[in-house]
Amino acid sequence: MTALLKADFHLHTAEDPEDLVRYTAEDLIDMARAAGYGVLAITNHNRVTWNERLAAYARDRGIVLIPGMEATIEGRHVLLYNVDPAEVDRSSLEALVRLRREETLVIAPHPFYPSPCALRGRFRANVHLFDAVEYCHFRGRGVDFNRPAQALAARYGLPMVGTSDAHQRVQFHTTYTLVEAEPDAASVIRAVKAGRVRVVSRPLPLATLARIWLRMTWRNKVVRRLSRPRA
């Protein structure tokens, strides 16, 4: 029986090899359970944080955990689900066509945000390679880089999924997706591709956006660099 499942398809945890995050995968699952989530995908950078033990931990708390990662391809970020990392050609966005199968999912994250890793024009040129487009939480009144992504998604009939792209607890549960699906990974992926999704989001105060950005910059540019062991 299908139901409306609360889902977040873009999340980072302490297991991320690139960004400094203060909560573990288990912590995130516990946070999600308390907030009523039914579906999660941990998408650490260039690493799949998923195994049978972690999936069982989530399942025991009523959550479907979908294997995912935020892969860097041609220097740009792409969200991949149910994909073997060994199959990913990191030199070519065009090679994504080989990863698109019934059981996999390819999402364009924050495509028009002012970041060197955002797809931007490469998304326009390769829009046919994506199953869905991200509606990112990082927005406020008068500040919303999701708008060009919304326009392009509407033009090409691509569904949009809301995510928190959480690296900090304050980001989690600010934007998410309601998916009409059965509580299993295959059904959720089919529902996303079919557009049986609804974005739930609220604009954040500019002061909150500033704190999120400053904290992320401090952690990744200063704290993480100072904590690296010296050769």
Side-chain angles (χ1 to χ4, degrees):
M1 178 180 294
T2 61
L4 279 180
L5 305 174
K6 185 185 289 188
D8 194 333
F9 297 100
H10 190 176
L11 296 156
H12 298 266
T13 65
E15 292 80 5
D16 196 302
E18 297 184 22
D19 285 349
L20 180 59
V21 181
R22 297 295 194 187
Y23 51 82
T24 66
E26 288 86 351
D27 292 335
L28 175 65
I29 291 168
D30 291 339
M31 289 160 51
R33 179 193 187 188
Y37 281 77
V39 180
L40 293 181
I42 297 171
T43 51
N44 286 327
H45 292 101
N46 299 304
R47 174 180 292 176
V48 175
T49 303
W50 189 99
N51 54 44
E52 291 295 343
R53 181 197 62 77
L54 197 59
Y57 187 89
R59 187 166 53 249
D60 289 345
R61 287 152 182 80
I63 295 172
V64 176
L65 187 64
I66 299 176
M69 69 172 174
E70 188 167 25
T72 304
I73 303 175
E74 288 188 34
R76 312 300 176 95
H77 286 175
V78 176
L79 291 169
L80 303 174
Y81 307 85
N82 271 349
V83 168
D84 181 350
E87 290 187 79
V88 181
D89 181 349
R90 300 180 189 278
S91 68
S92 171
L93 285 168
E94 288 78 4
L96 286 171
V97 70
R98 296 198 293 269
L99 302 179
R100 296 188 69 202
R101 298 186 287 269
E102 181 180 357
E103 72 275 13
T104 65
L105 184 65
V106 182
I107 295 178
H110 44 67
F112 295 104
Y113 273 64
S115 166
C117 61
L119 287 159
R120 297 204 275 187
R122 300 294 287 138
F123 177 46
R124 288 193 182 93
N126 296 279
V127 67
H128 60 288
L129 299 175
F130 294 89
D131 298 305
V133 187
E134 177 184 71
Y135 187 94
C136 185
H137 84 287
F138 195 83
R139 69 184 188 93
R141 299 193 187 281
V143 180
D144 190 354
F145 298 103
N146 290 300
R147 290 171 183 163
Q150 287 178 287
L152 205 62
R155 178 180 176 183
Y156 289 97
L158 288 174
M160 295 203 78
V161 293
T163 80
S164 67
D165 189 6
H167 293 68
Q168 305 167 34
R169 291 176 187 267
V170 69
Q171 294 172 284
F172 182 66
H173 198 43
T174 54
T175 294
Y176 56 89
T177 304
L178 293 177
V179 185
E180 185 181 347
E182 297 174 5
D184 65 76
S187 179
V188 170
I189 287 174
R190 286 195 301 270
V192 172
K193 290 180 175 181
R196 297 196 301 272
V197 292
R198 178 161 63 89
V199 174
V200 180
S201 183
R202 56 184 172 86
L204 300 178
L206 294 182
T208 300
L209 295 177
R211 283 197 298 272
I212 290 170
W213 182 81
L214 287 170
R215 186 178 296 165
M216 188 173 297
T217 300
W218 171 256
R219 287 180 178 180
N220 292 333
K221 302 296 184 183
V222 180
V223 176
R224 190 169 182 273
R225 183 173 298 173
L226 290 175
S227 64
R228 289 175 182 165
R230 297 183 179 181

